[in-house]
Amino acid sequence: MLNKYPMWKNLLVIIIIAVGAFYAVPNLFGEDHAVQVVGTRGAAVTPATESQVEQLLASKGIKIKRSELENGQLLVRVNNAEDQLLAKEAIASTLGENFSVALNLAPATPAWLEKLGANPMKLGLDLRGGVHFLMEVDMSEAIRKMEDAKVADFRSQLREQSIRYAGAKATPKGIEVRFRDADTLAKAEQYLKTHSNNEMVFTDTSNGDNFVLLASMSEQYLRQIKEDALTQNITTIRNRVNELGVAEPVVQRQGAERIIVELPGVQDTARAKEILGATASIEFHMVDQKTDLAAAKAGRIPAGSEVYKRREGGEVVLHKDVMLTGDHITGAQPSFDQYSRPQVSINLDAKGGSIFSDVTKDNIGKPMATLFIEYKDSGERNPDGSVKMNKVEEVISVATIQARLGRNFVITGLTHGEAQNLALLLRAGALIAPVSIVEERTIGPSLGAENIQNGLQAMIWGMAVVLLFMMIYYRAFGVIANLALTANLVMVVGVMSMIPGAVLTLPGIAGMVLTVGMAVDGNVLINERIREELRAGRPIQQAIHEGYGNAFSTIADANITTFITALILFAVGTGAIKGFAVTLMIGIATSMFTAIVGTRAIVNALWGGKRLKKLSI
Amino acid sequence: MLQILSFKGSVNFLRHALPISIMSLILVVLSLVCLATKGINWGLDFTGGTSIQLTFSKPADLSSLRDTLDNEIIAGAVVQNFGSSRDVVVRLQTKEGVKSDDQVKLVLSAAKAQDPAVEQKSVEFVGPQVGKELAEQGSLAVLVALICILLYVSFRFEWRLSLGAVAALAHDVTVTLGLFSFLQLEFDLTVLAGVLTVVGYSLNDTIVVFDRIRENFLKMRKATPTEVVNTSITQTMSRTIITTGTTIITVIALFLKGGTLIHGFATSLLMGITVGTYSSIYVASFLAIKLGICREHMMPVQVEKEGADQPSIMP
């Protein structure tokens, strides 16, 4: 029998469209004003916190719509923006500094829908307002740091093996280790090579009486360093973003050395930038007491020492070897000492604690310096367009070690503001290499709402005209095509809401609008074919059958080629363009389904197998 | 049956193919000349720099704002209306030794002096390095898209048709870019997305015609290639007009209602779709014929179709 679908095929069409529609539904509910509470600095949000907040808001007369505690984050929904602001202030002042309280818009999807995994589409920054940063990691600095570490490493290895070397230093060509004779050089090369894990490539660059071993990083090791620097920086920035108390931030890598940071709802870009991009860290060095400051300044300085500036003025000679870096710091709180001078209390991890207790034990009575290192945007640019960063190193305190120090101690010598910033930065971890902001976009919240409004308007107008035209031109088949078009739009929204990574952007809305216009193509191809067959004098059932059959390969070919371009857009595009490509790809897939299978099911159900004299097309 | 166009048999579209193709060629050459001399008005996404979007509470006095900015260190700022007389966009070049934040502050204070109620809608800063990479990536994307399509069409159809399709696409892209250059419209990321969409759309069109050509070569055993192509174009004409029509309607809706941010995108689509529709006939099909496409070339490709096993009613 012609034009009859088996039951399973009809069911399949119904189920697929129903699933699409089900997941599209959450988008109808809009958003609730909400306040988000996250614990920072080791504090956690518990059910006790939740009831505390609930009681607090009840006492203030603020009605709570719903409150949820999930993944250590409390979300309190209120009725309007006014209540939201009041609630935020009340909660922030009551819970204190250990919690970050942020304004948020939470989808107003009913709980039972959410349980089934149905959530509304995520909106891009251009639709909800906020800041977008693209940050670039200064890889040359990451590599330089690693070279310094290697120099220290070589020195201690050679010393342990009692191989005498004349000097080791990092040069632009690589790390140069000098020796007095060829034998020691060969011995050292042999030893270092076997203990380098293929990280370094060694070449003997001796000439005449100069016995020099040059160690340069292998390609693979360089790649590894860059990769590590990027992942480490992403982790650090993620921590810092959490400290900022922003709802639903995005921190993502892009390519080999860039990081995308998106902070919805943030308008104060200056503070965000200061915290995200700050590359402050501290190092502890022993003071070189043997070297005279005047002599050192005149240039007579031992290889292992260097002159550093002191914050309060003057200079001091320190050993270059770092006793402890900021990497081992697990906690840092600003506080005041008994003379109400600002200080930062530091907690170290186990390894840091044992290193620190060892060195302080051996150095009781000797002065130790805290070196504060910061990279600052100089406002200038390198010839390649990247931001020039200035490295500022300052000794913030020199203190005599009184006793063996353990995992907890304090740093003094800072101003109040500095103590607070340093504590925040140390808590959130140090950036392994400085970052610079290469792209920044701030979108006002009103602009976001305007963009949504515009997009919807365009969609409604475009859709209305197309639906009207199809109905008039193809009559019954036009109405069926319109059903398919509507189902298609619902399915695009449904699929967009289902895919966790898909984000709706303004170009994404444009993609949807365009899909409406282009999705008609499948139906037009089919309907025109059916008309042709009818004109050629075929019986009606035959004409429908042939029309669908003949149009199929055309639709497939045409759509696959468009899909290829969308795929390429997705691969090379960033942000908004990716959003456009995603909607276009989804639109192509769903429109093929609705045009070919969806309308066929309806046509078959209505007319399949019946004797027809006329077809309304 | 309501019909926009009703053709009996076949219309000799290709009769005018030569003059129209020559016109197309001239258009391409003009576009290239325009691109070479005037260049493209690259937007912020590609050049780098800072752009600040402001909304004034009353119509803004652009020339006074321009003068104020010229007196500051940020001379050379581009100050334009953006949609309405109250919306203003200020574009600044990246300057050696000047922080973008400071530039933004200067612009804001200049605007505040004119209208205290001015609202800062968006600020964008793009580093020059990022823009350059984007331009390279973008052109690479267009190139890769063309190559992929060339391969797909060669595989599914035939190399002469494939070459025709890609020539038509290159034609559409060139002419669209040429128009952007001629009118000096700003070319930003969304326009690039538009151009790539045009590639997809125009190809869509070409494929529909080619599909019919392939089919008709097998059906019309005695016809000449020109006759086959004419018949195919005639048969697909009403579909072409309807689909192009509905797409253009939605693009016009985007242009009119989608807001200023999407203008460039809509403009490139409007141009591209118009150009792309006629190029599938007068560039793609015509080139395939000139390359000597004939029935034998179509034979090896067997297309499976639903209903192919049905007895043919055609004599």
Side-chain angles (χ1 to χ4, degrees):
Chain A
M1 180 76 78
L2 272 183
N3 301 328
K4 268 293 185 195
Y5 260 3
M7 194 51 137
W8 68 267
K9 229 172 174 178
N10 282 326
L11 274 177
L12 193 73
V13 171
I14 292 170
I15 289 171
I16 290 178
I17 292 176
V19 168
F22 178 78
Y23 283 97
V25 161
N27 294 290
L28 296 175
F29 289 95
E31 284 173 320
D32 278 337
H33 293 276
V35 178
Q36 176 189 297
V37 184
V38 188
T40 56
R41 310 174 195 185
V45 181
T46 57
T49 326
E50 189 178 3
S51 56
Q52 188 190 352
V53 167
E54 276 169 9
Q55 274 163 24
L56 172 77
L57 294 185
S59 73
K60 298 251 172 195
I62 300 168
K63 264 215 182 108
I64 300 175
K65 251 183 153 175
R66 202 160 99 203
S67 82
E68 295 147 63
L69 183 62
E70 226 174 87
N71 305 325
Q73 133 176 354
L74 177 68
L75 199 68
V76 184
R77 297 161 188 267
V78 292
N79 284 322
N80 52 45
E82 222 170 284
D83 279 4
Q84 186 191 23
L85 278 176
L86 288 174
K88 187 207 163 189
E89 272 165 35
I91 297 171
S93 63
T94 311
L95 290 184
E97 271 196 11
N98 288 342
F99 294 89
S100 95
V101 183
L103 297 178
N104 197 354
L105 283 174
T109 315
W112 64 272
L113 268 174
E114 249 176 38
K115 281 216 180 73
L116 291 166
N119 288 302
M121 287 181 276
K122 280 175 205 66
L123 298 183
L125 272 193
D126 52 352
L127 298 183
R128 59 200 290 208
V131 211
H132 161 105
F133 292 118
L134 183 64
M135 299 177 145
E136 192 167 79
V137 181
D138 184 352
M139 289 300 175
S140 59
E141 188 56 33
I143 290 164
R144 204 195 55 74
K145 258 185 154 172
M146 206 45 100
E147 270 179 349
D148 284 352
K150 278 282 165 205
V151 172
D153 208 26
F154 286 169
R155 280 195 192 127
S156 65
Q157 277 187 15
L158 293 174
R159 216 178 300 135
E160 271 169 31
Q161 294 300 310
S162 318
I163 301 171
R164 291 177 61 96
Y165 63 95
K169 65 169 189 239
T171 68
K173 279 182 287 179
I175 298 166
E176 274 182 16
V177 191
R178 275 172 290 107
F179 297 90
R180 298 199 205 284
D181 53 65
D183 278 355
T184 5
L185 187 147
K187 228 165 87 187
E189 184 174 358
Q190 173 66 25
Y191 181 79
L192 292 176
K193 219 180 227 168
T194 48
H195 288 83
S196 83
N197 297 330
N198 292 328
E199 284 169 354
M200 308 295 282
V201 180
F202 296 92
T203 20
D204 187 343
T205 55
S206 308
N207 60 335
D209 285 343
N210 276 326
F211 301 99
V212 183
L213 183 63
L214 184 75
S216 50
M217 294 176 174
S218 67
E219 280 298 314
Q220 191 201 343
Y221 187 49
L222 276 176
R223 227 175 302 138
Q224 183 65 39
I225 292 174
K226 288 181 183 174
E227 187 66 29
D228 288 349
L230 192 70
T231 32
Q232 164 80 37
N233 271 355
I234 287 178
T235 314
T236 304
I237 287 178
R238 205 165 274 150
N239 287 335
R240 290 181 181 179
V241 166
N242 290 342
E243 292 275 345
L244 277 172
V246 180
E248 289 173 48
V250 174
V251 181
Q252 224 170 38
R253 75 177 284 171
Q254 186 190 305
E257 47 192 59
R258 291 195 180 138
I259 302 168
I260 295 173
V261 179
E262 290 194 341
L263 310 173
V266 168
Q267 295 299 317
D268 181 6
T269 54
R271 170 150 169 86
K273 260 195 240 177
E274 200 182 291
I275 297 300
L276 292 182
T279 321
S281 177
I282 50 171
E283 285 173 5
F284 300 99
H285 294 254
M286 293 310 295
V287 176
D288 182 357
Q289 290 173 290
K290 290 191 194 116
T291 309
D292 179 49
L293 182 62
K297 276 165 83 177
R300 290 191 300 279
I301 182 161
S305 296
E306 201 175 332
V307 180
Y308 288 95
K309 252 197 218 127
R310 294 185 66 152
R311 169 157 296 171
E312 64 257 37
E315 277 129 343
V316 61
V317 187
L318 303 183
H319 287 293
K320 269 193 201 164
D321 284 348
V322 183
M323 289 162 54
L324 188 74
T325 60
D327 302 352
H328 294 291
I329 295 172
T330 53
Q333 282 85 36
S335 56
F336 296 95
D337 65 6
Q338 64 263 46
Y339 308 108
S340 40
R341 286 178 310 205
Q343 62 178 23
V344 179
S345 324
I346 306 267
N347 311 323
L348 299 178
D349 62 10
K351 195 180 169 206
S354 78
I355 296 173
F356 206 56
S357 100
D358 278 355
V359 283
T360 49
K361 185 188 71 185
D362 296 343
N363 289 296
I364 290 174
K366 289 183 192 160
M368 179 186 76
T370 309
L371 187 64
F372 181 79
I373 305 156
E374 198 180 4
Y375 290 88
K376 281 186 172 159
D377 182 346
S378 64
E380 286 171 40
R381 284 171 190 285
N382 293 322
D384 66 350
S386 59
V387 177
K388 216 183 250 172
M389 307 287 274
N390 286 343
K391 185 176 184 181
V392 184
E393 288 176 309
E394 272 180 331
V395 174
I396 52 173
S397 77
V398 176
T400 307
I401 300 169
Q402 305 288 354
R404 182 175 179 171
L405 291 173
R407 291 175 58 180
N408 306 308
F409 60 97
V410 297
I411 302 172
T412 53
L414 300 142
T415 68
H416 176 59
E418 277 170 347
Q420 285 206 312
N421 261 352
L422 180 64
L424 197 158
L425 293 175
L426 290 177
R427 226 173 20 237
L431 291 174
I432 206 161
V435 295
S436 54
I437 292 173
V438 288
E439 193 182 288
E440 180 193 333
R441 290 166 201 266
T442 315
I443 299 114
S446 63
L447 187 62
E450 219 171 88
N451 284 343
I452 294 184
Q453 199 60 36
N454 288 336
L456 282 181
Q457 285 252 326
M459 172 110 56
I460 289 166
W461 278 99
M463 186 101 180
V465 179
V466 170
L467 290 186
L468 198 69
F469 171 79
M470 289 298 280
M471 206 169 68
I472 294 171
Y473 196 70
Y474 290 118
R475 293 189 288 171
F477 271 73
V479 174
I480 295 171
N482 285 348
L483 284 176
L485 267 188
T486 316
N488 175 47
L489 196 62
V490 171
M491 280 176 72
V492 173
V493 174
V495 175
M496 285 285 290
S497 311
M498 259 188 270
I499 300 177
V503 177
L504 184 70
T505 59
L506 183 60
I509 296 183
M512 277 196 204
V513 177
L514 195 65
T515 308
V516 170
M518 286 168 66
V520 179
D521 193 43
N523 295 109
V524 173
L525 278 166
I526 293 167
N527 293 351
E528 286 297 315
R529 274 292 185 156
I530 297 177
R531 283 182 169 189
E532 255 177 71
E533 302 295 332
L534 289 173
R535 244 179 268 139
R538 297 203 178 193
I540 284 177
Q541 295 298 347
Q542 190 86 34
I544 294 175
H545 186 80
E546 291 281 298
Y548 270 95
N550 287 334
F552 177 75
S553 77
T554 314
I555 296 174
D557 275 329
N559 280 299
I560 286 171
T561 44
T562 314
F563 198 84
I564 292 175
T565 50
L567 205 62
I568 291 163
L569 262 184
F570 183 78
V572 301
T574 54
I577 299 297
K578 257 201 166 77
F580 171 71
V582 168
T583 39
L584 196 61
M585 283 193 279
I586 296 172
I588 290 167
T590 55
S591 74
M592 272 181 80
F593 170 77
T594 50
I596 299 171
V597 190
T599 60
R600 187 77 191 268
I602 301 175
V603 169
N604 284 357
L606 287 179
W607 298 301
K610 290 181 189 147
R611 288 193 148 275
L612 296 172
K613 287 213 180 87
K614 237 184 132 235
L615 199 60
S616 172
I617 188 166
Chain B
M1 213 183 290
L2 176 62
Q3 269 182 299
I4 291 176
L5 288 170
S6 170
F7 299 119
K8 293 277 177 299
S10 139
V11 176
N12 193 356
F13 282 101
L14 292 179
R15 195 175 51 200
H16 312 291
L18 198 65
I20 292 179
S21 299
I22 290 171
M23 243 179 61
S24 281
L25 203 64
I26 292 171
L27 214 56
V28 169
V29 172
L30 280 179
S31 296
L32 289 175
V33 168
C34 209
L35 285 169
T37 54
K38 285 178 106 169
I40 279 182
N41 179 12
W42 296 105
L44 183 76
D45 294 327
F46 295 100
T47 57
T50 308
S51 148
I52 304 149
Q53 205 186 317
L54 302 164
T55 301
F56 288 78
S57 61
K58 51 183 193 281
D61 184 354
L62 291 192
S63 58
S64 104
L65 187 62
R66 214 169 277 139
D67 287 345
T68 324
L69 290 180
D70 272 343
N71 290 334
E72 304 284 347
I73 55 162
I74 41 181
V78 180
V79 181
Q80 282 172 339
N81 274 121
F82 185 63
S84 79
S85 63
R86 288 169 50 222
D87 293 307
V88 174
V89 64
V90 181
R91 288 197 182 83
L92 308 161
Q93 294 289 314
T94 315
K95 276 235 169 75
E96 194 73 32
V98 183
K99 283 193 193 181
S100 63
D101 285 8
D102 296 339
Q103 288 185 323
V104 174
K105 271 183 209 142
L106 282 168
V107 173
L108 273 183
S109 62
K112 280 242 166 71
Q114 199 183 104
D115 176 5
V118 68
E119 191 192 345
Q120 171 196 332
K121 281 219 155 153
S122 77
V123 178
E124 291 180 48
F125 156 74
V126 179
Q129 188 62 26
V130 184
K132 222 175 82 194
E133 275 169 33
L134 214 62
E136 286 165 9
Q137 258 184 358
S139 2
L140 194 69
V142 176
L143 208 67
V144 171
L146 289 180
I147 291 171
C148 286
I149 287 159
L150 187 75
L151 290 176
Y152 179 81
V153 182
S154 300
F155 168 72
R156 282 286 288 155
F157 294 84
E158 210 269 337
W159 70 265
R160 286 171 187 84
L161 288 177
S162 174
L163 219 58
V166 171
L169 291 187
H171 165 265
D172 301 341
V173 172
T174 315
V175 173
T176 310
L177 292 182
L179 276 165
F180 263 82
S181 164
F182 180 71
L183 300 173
Q184 284 292 297
L185 298 174
E186 197 183 316
F187 194 95
D188 60 16
L189 258 187
T190 63
V191 178
L192 178 67
V195 170
L196 271 160
T197 314
V198 165
V199 170
Y201 181 84
S202 154
L203 188 69
N204 202 18
D205 232 38
T206 310
I207 295 288
V208 170
V209 177
F210 280 6
D211 214 63
R212 199 50 87 92
I213 291 177
R214 180 172 60 187
E215 191 185 321
N216 284 339
F217 261 121
L218 302 178
K219 267 190 197 158
M220 304 164 62
R221 286 165 186 274
K222 286 186 185 132
T224 64
T226 310
E227 279 165 11
V228 169
V229 170
N230 270 329
T231 309
S232 309
I233 295 172
T234 312
Q235 285 170 344
T236 49
M237 191 38 88
S238 45
R239 171 263 155 200
T240 304
I241 288 172
I242 292 167
T243 302
T244 302
T246 53
T247 311
I248 282 191
I249 286 169
T250 50
V251 174
I252 288 174
L254 268 182
F255 186 86
L256 295 178
K257 299 280 174 188
T260 29
L261 283 179
I262 221 82
H263 260 179
F265 176 76
T267 313
S268 61
L269 279 181
L270 271 181
M271 292 172 179
I273 288 172
T274 319
V275 179
T277 304
Y278 92 77
S279 78
S280 52
I281 302 169
Y282 288 109
V283 179
S285 308
F286 187 60
L287 189 67
I289 288 187
K290 286 285 148 198
L291 287 171
I293 192 87
C294 66
R295 207 173 102 76
E296 281 69 39
H297 299 139
M298 295 298 163
M299 293 312 280
V301 190
Q302 279 293 325
V303 193
E304 274 184 45
K305 277 183 185 164
E306 231 184 296
D309 50 341
Q310 299 289 325
S312 176
I313 299 174
M314 291 284 279

